[in-house]
Amino acid sequence: GALAIDKTAPAISGESASRTDASNGSVTFTSDEAGKVYYIVGGEKPAQDALLASANVKDIASGETKIDLSGLGAEATNVYLMVVDAAGNRSDVKTVKVPVYLAKPTTITWVNNTATAMWNAVSGATSYKVYRATSKSGTYSLLGTVTATSYTNTGAKAGTTYYYKVE
């Protein structure tokens, strides 16, 4: 019988990215075929041939793959991916955006004898989530999301100690 020739290009789906800190993060995606993933961090979207010349190559199995990234800047950046299967078929080039890294607010200052907290603005932040718990290691529940660098906890009870965190 005739030998079947694989002419089906791999497909990339479910791509996402996350940050661990200002210079590290990861990209996760799913490929429907095993092969090699070629990737470039930053710059403009490359053509397939330019991506093939990239020094960033990793053997992958079909299914989900996570690529750890280091040396990132704090600003948002794109990662460009392409999977090539054993027969040389190439997927489309996918663009995955690694989000901007936002430091946590450093200090929370309390306005005397009130339930108002204030903190330093974080460069690049568009909002802050304020959480509260009744013990330091307790479960923190979201009180609200604010765009200002202060929050007044109107539901605080006098005589109760609360623990807060801002993200």
Side-chain angles (χ1 to χ4, degrees), residues 55-77:
N56 300 312
V57 184
K58 181 177 177 175
D59 288 321
I60 62 164
S62 61
E64 189 173 275
T65 297
K66 179 180 176 185
I67 300 171
D68 291 318
L69 305 169
S70 59
L72 300 171
E75 67 282 350
T77 189

Side-chain angles (χ1 to χ4, degrees), residues 36-82:
K36 294 183 183 305
V37 61
Y38 294 81
Y39 61 99
I40 292 177
V41 179
E44 296 297 311
K45 186 173 183 175
Q48 287 183 328
D49 289 340
L51 206 42
L52 278 178
S54 162
N56 300 312
V57 184
K58 181 177 177 175
D59 288 321
I60 62 164
S62 61
E64 189 173 275
T65 297
K66 179 180 176 185
I67 300 171
D68 291 318
L69 305 169
S70 59
L72 300 171
E75 67 282 350
T77 189
N78 288 327
V79 177
Y80 304 99
L81 309 168
M82 178 177 68

